[in-house]
Amino acid sequence: MYYPISEKITVLGKVIQKPNLSFSFLAYLLQGEKNVLIDTVPEKAGEVFLTELKALIPISQLDAIILNHSEEDHSGALGLLLAEKEDISIYCTEACKQRLISRYPNGQFIAVEHLSTLKIGTFQFRFTHTPGLHWDDNMVTYFENEKILFSNDLFGQYLGCQPPLDKDYSVEDVLQGAKSYFDKVFAPATIEEKQVVLKIRDLDLKCVAPGHGVILKEKLEDVLALYEKECAGTSEIR
């Protein structure tokens, strides 16, 4: 599955739809002066992912990978990419680098600092580390050019459709999918770890593109309000 979400951005990945389960694994390709891949998919979906990626761009023209999290469902296809272009730069947290360097000893991992910025071609990125949400190596990537947050696990939902857009769901369904996912993945985090969500809330956001579920645009404010309530420990959604 791949689908353009803007002139320069394509979402790729795998969608699972069963009678009792909807879910997705999403990655994003940004094409321009430089070409950047944000996250990958599970290894078992890697071959199809690589085929679809090659339909959009030769791997030789991929300039960088931003890896928001080391868990296999987001990094599983990394080996296939490195087999075709071993010297590609991989931007991630130091904790993510340490988790993956033994598996990919020749990988060109570059650790980025909390709240640091990075310019790749005409693309401007800002990184926010989110340790504890849900591993110690998680971060989110804000794409300043289009005011999109590539949030990986954060703001994910137990939802899945093709194309993976929130317009195909009611507000109630999106909130239910987001709340169920939050309860399973993020509820165990400490109050201190959850505070970073309140700071992310201050970003100028037009869209959140997560690693699971659907891309949030029409129901974005509803999900942000849900997270603000859950992470602030308040009893009412503001």
Side-chain angles (χ1 to χ4, degrees):
M1 181 275 300
Y2 60 93
Y3 181 83
I5 61 172
S6 77
E7 182 180 346
K8 296 182 180 298
I9 305 174
T10 301
V11 57
L12 304 95
K14 179 179 178 62
V15 176
I16 298 171
Q17 288 180 307
K18 297 180 180 180
N20 62 341
L21 173 68
S22 293
F23 200 56
S24 66
F25 303 94
L26 305 176
Y28 301 89
L29 176 66
L30 283 60
Q31 293 176 270
E33 179 182 307
K34 299 288 186 179
N35 302 301
V36 180
L37 179 67
I38 299 184
D39 296 323
T40 76
V41 299
E43 186 175 7
K44 63 183 178 182
E47 292 290 350
V48 173
F49 171 76
L50 195 64
T51 298
E52 294 179 341
L53 184 61
K54 288 179 177 179
L56 297 168
I57 184 176
I59 302 303
S60 61
Q61 293 182 18
L62 193 60
D63 295 292
I65 298 171
I66 294 174
L67 202 59
N68 287 308
H69 179 32
S70 68
E71 194 170 7
E72 194 275 339
D73 58 340
H74 301 287
S75 68
L78 185 59
L80 293 174
L81 293 166
L82 295 180
E84 300 214 14
K85 190 174 182 181
E86 189 178 54
D87 62 347
I88 189 167
S89 297
I90 305 166
Y91 296 93
C92 60
T93 65
E94 179 64 29
C96 181
K97 174 182 176 179
Q98 294 305 318
R99 284 181 181 271
L100 293 174
I101 194 69
S102 61
R103 183 172 182 181
Y104 307 109
N106 296 321
Q108 302 301 303
F109 294 97
I110 301 170
V112 298
E113 298 296 325
H114 178 53
L115 300 181
S116 64
T117 61
L118 173 68
K119 189 172 185 180
I120 304 177
T122 59
F123 297 153
Q124 186 74 33
F125 302 99
R126 189 189 318 169
F127 306 110
T128 301
H129 292 193
T130 60
L133 302 173
H134 67 121
W135 285 9
D136 64 340
D137 69 356
N138 282 77
M139 70 176 187
V140 297
T141 299
Y142 182 56
F143 180 42
E144 296 186 355
N145 303 59
E146 298 191 27
K147 300 180 180 179
I148 295 176
L149 184 72
F150 295 102
S151 63
N152 195 265
D153 285 315
L154 205 63
F155 306 114
Q157 326 96 38
Y158 285 117
L159 297 172
C161 61
Q162 296 189 47
L165 306 175
D166 66 356
K167 67 181 182 66
D168 295 314
Y169 288 95
S170 67
V171 171
E172 293 74 20
D173 286 342
V174 171
L175 287 176
Q176 181 179 358
K179 180 64 163 63
S180 298
Y181 189 83
F182 182 97
D183 288 345
K184 182 173 182 179
V185 179
F186 302 121
T190 67
I191 293 175
E192 290 75 17
E193 289 169 338
K194 292 175 182 175
Q195 291 308 296
V196 69
V197 171
L198 305 181
K199 296 178 181 179
I200 291 171
R201 183 72 171 87
D202 293 333
L203 291 172
D204 184 8
L205 294 175
K206 289 186 176 179
C207 174
V208 167
H212 302 298
V214 294
I215 296 165
L216 299 169
K217 190 172 184 180
E218 294 182 7
K219 281 83 173 181
L220 173 59
E221 286 301 319
D222 300 286
V223 174
L224 291 177
L226 169 68
Y227 267 73
E228 186 174 14
K229 181 197 76 167
E230 295 295 330
C231 293
T234 59
S235 59
E236 296 181 358
I237 297 178
R238 291 186 289 176

